[in-house]
């Protein structure tokens, strides 16, 4: 297990230091209007998908390997939220398996605190610089600001409802373009009963997936 975790960690660090196009999208500088105010956005890189269960598990297990149990306890997801937040649905299997089972490796990690996410970003920055860039370190990985996220989600489109433009939520084949719980009693009509696997839907013009829904 330790060997497998080190292999996945090495892959993640290499993707970051090279800004692998499959993993990181370049968001060009521009501007966005929010509440009648025009805000400038500097260029940055953004992960093309949500952080996956596999990526977050790799982070947590590496903390344990380094003997950082206290940090591990702060950062680990609260999987009981599957049951606590949705008492009307039978989510015990999700509570027990969603974060740990390999079948959900490439699904977005959920039930994490902001502190945990900030720790993940700090770990990814630190470990990448430790491995590759001792002389010229990369900029810190961080959570985007709200307006950076909105600008990236727009995919360069202006005055559109959705990352793909709009105004429709289905394509020409009648397929849903995002996972968003279309209507009560038919949650899986959009292709996912709970969360959807990363890259289940088409990316926006910047190459970012699931910037609406999920």
């Amino acid at each position: 297990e330790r060997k497998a975790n080190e292999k996945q960690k090495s892959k993640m660090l290499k993707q970051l230091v090279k800004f692998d196009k499959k993993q990181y999208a370049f968001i060009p500088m521009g501007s966005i209007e929010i509440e009648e105010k025009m805000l400038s956005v500097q260029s940055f890189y953004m992960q093309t998908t949500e952080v996956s269960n596999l990526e977050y598990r790799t982070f947590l297990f590496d903390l344990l390997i380094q003997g950082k149990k206290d940090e591990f306890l702060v950062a680990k997801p609260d999987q009981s939220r599957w049951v606590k937040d949705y008492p009307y649905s039978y989510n015990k299997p999700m509570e027990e398996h969603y974060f740990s089972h390999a079948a959900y490796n490439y699904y977005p990690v959920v039930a994490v605190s902001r502190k945990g996410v900030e720790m993940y970003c700090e770990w990814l920055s630190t470990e990448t610089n430790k491995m590759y860039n001792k002389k010229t370190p990369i900029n810190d990985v961080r959570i985007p600001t709200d307006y950076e996220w909105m600008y990236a989600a727009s995919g360069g489109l202006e005055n559109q409802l959705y990352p793909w433009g709009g105004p429709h939520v289905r394509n020409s084949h009648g397929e849903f373009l995002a996972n968003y719980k279309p209507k009560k009693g038919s949650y899986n009509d959009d292709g996912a009963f709970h969360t959807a696997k990363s890259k289940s839907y088409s990316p926006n013009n910047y190459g970012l997936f699931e910037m609406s829904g999920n």
Side-chain angles (χ1 to χ4, degrees), residues 2-207:
R2 178 169 180 164
K3 186 176 180 180
N5 204 71
E6 291 289 351
K7 183 178 180 180
Q8 175 61 27
K9 174 184 173 182
S10 178
K11 177 183 176 181
M12 292 166 61
L13 304 187
K14 189 177 295 184
Q15 287 174 327
L16 176 57
V17 78
K18 291 184 175 182
F19 289 115
D20 188 316
K21 291 183 179 180
K22 293 182 179 179
Q23 188 74 0
Y24 294 96
F26 177 73
I27 313 300
M29 66 182 297
S31 58
I32 184 172
E33 185 177 350
I34 301 176
E35 296 180 351
E36 299 182 352
K37 291 182 179 179
M38 192 63 70
L39 300 174
S40 297
V41 181
Q42 296 299 312
S43 60
F44 61 100
Y45 281 91
M46 190 169 184
Q47 186 164 317
T48 57
T49 65
E50 307 101 326
V51 173
S52 69
N53 284 322
L54 177 59
E55 290 168 329
Y56 203 81
R57 275 206 317 271
T58 301
F59 152 61
L60 290 180
F61 290 168
D62 193 60
L63 291 181
L64 291 180
I65 290 171
Q66 295 185 42
K68 299 179 179 179
K69 186 178 179 181
D70 290 342
E71 288 90 335
F72 168 85
L73 293 174
V74 171
K76 72 183 184 72
D78 179 9
Q79 290 303 302
S80 68
R81 296 277 297 275
W82 278 106
V83 174
K84 291 177 180 176
D85 292 356
Y86 307 101
Y88 50 81
S89 181
Y90 181 64
N91 279 334
K92 194 66 178 176
M94 300 300 286
E95 178 185 16
E96 295 175 350
H97 302 297
Y98 181 79
F99 183 62
S100 58
H101 198 286
Y104 294 101
N105 274 353
Y106 300 103
Y107 284 68
V109 66
V110 301
V112 289
S113 66
R114 183 179 181 89
K115 179 62 177 176
V117 176
E118 290 172 343
M119 292 170 68
Y120 172 83
C121 292
E122 182 180 354
W123 168 83
L124 191 55
S125 304
T126 301
E127 295 301 317
T128 301
N129 286 322
K130 191 188 300 182
M131 182 71 71
Y132 291 104
N133 286 322
K134 295 179 181 178
K135 293 183 179 179
T136 54
I138 62 167
N139 292 334
D140 289 342
V141 177
R142 61 174 175 81
I143 302 170
T145 64
D146 54 355
Y147 62 88
E148 284 175 331
W149 192 95
M150 293 165 70
Y151 174 73
S154 73
L157 301 176
E158 295 183 2
N159 302 316
Q160 297 293 336
L161 282 174
Y162 305 110
W164 54 85
H168 306 293
V169 294
R170 297 174 187 252
N171 61 20
S172 58
H173 301 290
E175 300 165 332
F176 282 100
L177 296 167
N179 171 30
Y180 70 99
K181 194 172 71 172
K183 54 186 178 180
K184 188 175 182 180
S186 59
Y187 296 164
N188 60 345
D189 283 1
D190 54 23
F193 192 79
H194 295 99
T195 56
K197 187 177 181 180
S198 294
K199 300 185 179 181
S200 291
Y201 306 90
S202 298
N204 69 7
N205 291 342
Y206 289 151

